[in-house]
Amino acid sequence: MARLWDAHLDAIRAHDTAEHLQTEHVLRVLACCAPDTIPKAILNDGDDSHDVTDALELLASYSMITRAGHGNAQTISMHRLFQSVIRNGLDYDDPRQHAARHTVLTGLLRIIPEDPQSNVSGWPTWQLLLPHIDAITRSHREGTEPQELGALLNQAMIFTSAQGRHQHAHDLANRALAISEAAFGPEQPDVAISLGNLAGSFRALGRPGEAVPLEERALAITEAAFGPEHPTVAIRLGNLAASFRALGRPGEAVPLEERALAITEAAFGPEHPTVAIRLGNLAVSFRDLGRPGEAVLLEERALAITEAAFGPEHPDVAIRLGNLAGSFRDLGRPGEAVPLLERALAISEAAFGPEHPDVAIRLGNLAGSFRDLGRPGEAVPLLERALAITEAAFGPEHPDVAIRLGNLAASFRALGRPGEAVPLLERALAITEAAFGPEHPDVATLLGNLAASFRALGRPGEAVPLEERALAITEAAFGPEHPDVATLLGNLAGSFRALGRPGEAVPLEERALAISEAAFGPEHPTVAIRLGNLAVSFRALGRLGEAVLLEERALAISEAAFGPEHPDVATLLGNLAGSFRALGRLGEAVLLEERALAISEAAFGPEHPDVATLLGNLAASFRALGRLGEAVPLLERALAITETVFGPDHLQVKALRQHLSAARNSPCDCGSSKKYKRCHGGYGSSTM
């Protein structure tokens, strides 16, 4: 092959004295690329050059290349072995080879599509060019790369990250940073950009702790170069805040976001679209801190700014609508979230078409609100469509596909169909492990979700090892004091309770409580969740007095955080009522349950599954008081709601039927020895 290459090269040089330099240069350029589907546009300086065309015809005549397509859209391929021989025969330091590498670099920079993250129409071109970007990167010795290669790698890193290829993106970002530092020195603003990209790749890989020092260095470089009030400083502050949030430290993110907002307002004025971005980021930190009411105010302002700047149908308006809807959901007001999300979906479909990945995000958010409203049946078709869109856009192994599978599984679980959730979660877990490795925090999340499905199937023994593995992954990734560790401790404790081992659950929940208090402060809504879970274990251990104290504190926290009409307040009222019932304080339990029922009906409407649960709890208290005439209608209504939502074969439906039958056949509270059903004349067929 080497002798054939030499013979061909001699023939090319002898063929045409005026053209042999161009032909040999084209051959050297092609040798710097991947062997297949090399775009002819790389060779042309923006035009369909006759010299390049003639050179390609000559090379094709010697069977050194093959061509496909026409004009500037033509692609060229070389035999892999022949290309390897050519590469090995070239001198790296030869000026002609330097010129060939420069042609490839400038050609790639000229033809890469803009906005590699969001410009979906450019993704096929990126897919075509990425092997050639990798090839030209390999053709440069480390330490000798031109700054143009660093710029190209930064753009390629953004594309590969958008495609879920985060390890590849990380490798590109590492090389780009080394090139930038060598080209500009360690303190130049371009180096800060590369530091930010590398930090972003660490965050995507579930390693935000490694991102923080990079972002702190990028911030210092930018401040030194531009001064502390430059808009680019605001970008660096926002990136650093994002890593603190990922580390479960939103309290440290807030002052950074507030400073970024102040800088941006001072630089651009209070109505600039970039101000809306800063407001949205600050709102995320407030939501993480359990302050969604403050987040709503920021997001409403961000929405108004964006609509005024771009008009009501701009895709950025859809983002703002989605963020505002998220805060309404956190506030227990999913009914207000739905119209915002429906409008966001319509905007995204009109802007991008019905098959765009952003449409899948909007569908998923809307489905989440339907789940919150107790309408998981309406969520399922939205999530199935979102899954189909994401698979078509990214392929079946992209991490975003795993997210869609997980969301669909959650709706199946909410429908009482955990058996259908399990294979979805197993596939999502496999995708995520393949994309990120077995120790990524997203793997831990999916292990926890799969464990929840096993618990719902009555298989808590299978849930425990999954939750133990999820806990180990999260502790290794974030440290033992991260809020996500507390969540997983609570999940593991729930499985121990389901196994009849509440004594083993208590120390886990006590540790979870301590972590949440340290991370968020003693008045955060998450602390109320931890208190409630610990109280459940105390109740199971017969320590009712201790449970009541925890539940009363949890209730006070939730009321202070969300107001007295939030659905979480209703949940905690129901839990406290359960403890009062167990203590024989039935009159107090009834008052709490009646209030909880009123809150849930106002928040979700009269047909929500949570309403059915509270009806059943109130009926239990009435039965314990011997007031069957009041208990039976509540159970009938609870049964009707639950059958409508979940179908006649759901476990909750079967349990309610049993409770209703027991209530109907209990001695009547009128004092008669007759059974309730016979004394009161029976029931309509709709509630039998």
Side-chain angles (χ1 to χ4, degrees), residues 250-293:
E252 294 172 74
V254 165
L256 301 175
E257 300 283 12
E258 288 175 330
R259 185 183 160 205
L261 174 60
I263 291 170
T264 305
E265 285 187 301
F268 299 130
E271 303 305 316
H272 193 275
T274 307
V275 171
I277 295 171
R278 304 283 169 258
L279 289 163
N281 292 344
L282 179 57
V284 172
S285 294
F286 279 141
R287 284 170 60 188
D288 286 350
L289 284 167
R291 295 155 62 182

Side-chain angles (χ1 to χ4, degrees), residues 254-579:
V254 165
L256 301 175
E257 300 283 12
E258 288 175 330
R259 185 183 160 205
L261 174 60
I263 291 170
T264 305
E265 285 187 301
F268 299 130
E271 303 305 316
H272 193 275
T274 307
V275 171
I277 295 171
R278 304 283 169 258
L279 289 163
N281 292 344
L282 179 57
V284 172
S285 294
F286 279 141
R287 284 170 60 188
D288 286 350
L289 284 167
R291 295 155 62 182
E294 294 170 79
V296 163
L297 298 176
L298 299 175
E299 286 157 346
E300 288 177 330
R301 185 183 159 206
L303 175 60
I305 291 170
T306 306
E307 287 188 299
F310 298 132
E313 303 305 316
H314 192 276
D316 284 3
V317 171
I319 294 171
R320 306 285 167 255
L321 289 163
N323 292 345
L324 178 57
S327 290
F328 279 136
R329 289 175 65 190
D330 284 354
L331 283 167
R333 294 153 60 183
E336 293 172 74
V338 165
L340 300 176
L341 293 167
E342 290 175 330
R343 184 182 160 207
L345 175 60
I347 291 170
S348 294
E349 287 187 302
F352 299 130
E355 304 305 316
H356 191 278
D358 280 9
V359 171
I361 294 171
R362 307 285 165 252
L363 288 163
N365 291 344
L366 179 57
S369 288
F370 281 139
R371 265 203 316 271
D372 291 347
L373 285 165
R375 294 153 60 184
E378 293 173 72
V380 165
L382 300 177
L383 293 167
E384 289 174 331
R385 184 182 160 207
L387 174 61
I389 291 170
T390 306
E391 286 188 299
F394 295 127
E397 303 306 315
H398 191 278
D400 282 6
V401 172
I403 294 171
R404 307 286 169 255
L405 289 163
N407 291 344
L408 180 57
S411 288
F412 279 135
R413 210 164 50 237
L415 281 166
R417 296 154 60 183
E420 293 173 75
V422 165
L424 299 175
L425 290 166
E426 289 174 332
R427 183 184 161 206
L429 179 60
I431 291 169
T432 305
E433 286 188 299
F436 295 131
E439 304 305 315
H440 192 276
D442 286 2
V443 171
T445 299
L446 287 165
L447 287 165
N449 292 344
L450 181 57
S453 292
F454 281 136
R455 264 202 317 274
L457 286 165
R459 296 154 59 184
E462 294 172 75
V464 165
L466 299 177
E467 288 162 340
E468 290 175 330
R469 183 184 160 204
L471 178 60
I473 291 170
T474 305
E475 287 188 296
F478 296 138
E481 304 307 314
H482 192 277
D484 286 1
V485 171
T487 300
L488 292 166
L489 286 165
N491 293 346
L492 179 57
S495 290
F496 280 138
R497 272 199 311 272
L499 286 166
R501 296 153 59 182
E504 294 172 73
V506 165
L508 300 177
E509 285 158 342
E510 289 175 329
R511 184 182 160 205
L513 173 60
I515 292 170
S516 295
E517 287 187 301
F520 299 129
E523 303 306 315
H524 192 277
T526 303
V527 172
I529 294 171
R530 305 287 169 251
L531 289 163
N533 290 344
L534 179 56
V536 172
S537 291
F538 279 148
R539 251 200 333 264
L541 288 167
R543 295 159 63 179
L544 298 174
E546 294 170 84
V548 165
L549 294 176
L550 297 176
E551 287 162 345
E552 287 177 331
R553 184 184 160 203
L555 177 60
I557 291 170
S558 289
E559 286 188 299
F562 296 134
E565 304 305 316
H566 192 277
D568 285 3
V569 171
T571 300
L572 291 165
L573 287 164
N575 291 346
L576 180 57
S579 292

Side-chain angles (χ1 to χ4, degrees), residues 155-220:
Q155 292 298 298
M157 174 266 172
I158 294 170
F159 169 71
T160 52
S161 181
Q163 300 302 300
R165 299 164 59 183
H166 296 298
Q167 185 59 54
H168 190 184
H170 179 73
D171 295 340
L172 293 171
N174 253 323
R175 186 80 179 266
L177 175 60
I179 293 168
S180 294
E181 289 185 303
F184 300 120
E187 303 304 318
Q188 213 266 355
D190 282 0
V191 172
I193 295 172
S194 294
L195 285 164
N197 288 344
L198 181 57
S201 74
F202 273 126
R203 265 201 315 275
L205 287 169
R207 296 154 61 182
E210 294 171 77
V212 166
L214 299 175
E215 284 157 343
E216 290 175 329
R217 184 183 157 204
L219 175 61

Side-chain angles (χ1 to χ4, degrees), residues 22-286:
Q22 178 66 33
T23 304
E24 187 174 347
H25 175 69
V26 167
L27 196 57
R28 288 173 179 271
V29 167
L30 296 175
C32 292
C33 298
D36 299 318
T37 59
I38 305 164
K40 183 184 176 187
I42 289 176
L43 301 164
N44 298 332
D45 189 10
D47 301 313
D48 190 359
S49 166
H50 290 298
D51 290 342
V52 169
T53 300
D54 292 344
L56 292 173
E57 288 179 355
L58 179 59
L59 293 172
S61 71
Y62 282 95
S63 300
M64 300 179 78
I65 64 169
T66 57
R67 294 176 291 174
H70 301 284
N72 214 29
Q74 187 179 105
T75 61
I76 304 115
S77 296
M78 300 183 72
H79 190 282
R80 292 172 185 271
L81 182 57
F82 192 39
Q83 189 191 54
S84 177
V85 168
I86 294 173
R87 284 178 183 163
N88 290 333
L90 298 175
D91 180 358
Y92 182 83
D93 296 316
D94 187 329
R96 294 173 295 175
Q97 196 56 24
H98 174 80
R101 291 193 295 268
H102 180 73
T103 296
V104 175
L105 267 180
T106 56
L108 286 168
L109 283 167
R110 187 175 62 250
I111 66 176
I112 56 172
E114 295 182 353
D115 190 8
Q117 182 171 7
S118 303
N119 178 16
V120 176
S121 64
W123 287 356
T125 301
W126 271 107
Q127 296 285 13
L128 174 70
L129 296 179
L130 202 58
H132 306 300
I133 294 171
D134 289 339
I136 193 61
T137 302
R138 289 193 302 271
S139 75
H140 284 86
R141 291 176 184 164
E142 290 192 21
T144 68
E145 307 98 328
Q147 65 188 59
E148 292 89 350
L149 180 59
L152 179 64
L153 293 179
N154 273 325
Q155 292 298 298
M157 174 266 172
I158 294 170
F159 169 71
T160 52
S161 181
Q163 300 302 300
R165 299 164 59 183
H166 296 298
Q167 185 59 54
H168 190 184
H170 179 73
D171 295 340
L172 293 171
N174 253 323
R175 186 80 179 266
L177 175 60
I179 293 168
S180 294
E181 289 185 303
F184 300 120
E187 303 304 318
Q188 213 266 355
D190 282 0
V191 172
I193 295 172
S194 294
L195 285 164
N197 288 344
L198 181 57
S201 74
F202 273 126
R203 265 201 315 275
L205 287 169
R207 296 154 61 182
E210 294 171 77
V212 166
L214 299 175
E215 284 157 343
E216 290 175 329
R217 184 183 157 204
L219 175 61
I221 291 170
T222 306
E223 286 188 298
F226 299 130
E229 303 306 315
H230 193 276
T232 307
V233 171
I235 295 172
R236 305 283 169 256
L237 289 163
N239 291 344
L240 179 56
S243 289
F244 280 136
R245 276 199 305 271
L247 283 167
R249 294 153 60 183
E252 294 172 74
V254 165
L256 301 175
E257 300 283 12
E258 288 175 330
R259 185 183 160 205
L261 174 60
I263 291 170
T264 305
E265 285 187 301
F268 299 130
E271 303 305 316
H272 193 275
T274 307
V275 171
I277 295 171
R278 304 283 169 258
L279 289 163
N281 292 344
L282 179 57
V284 172
S285 294
F286 279 141

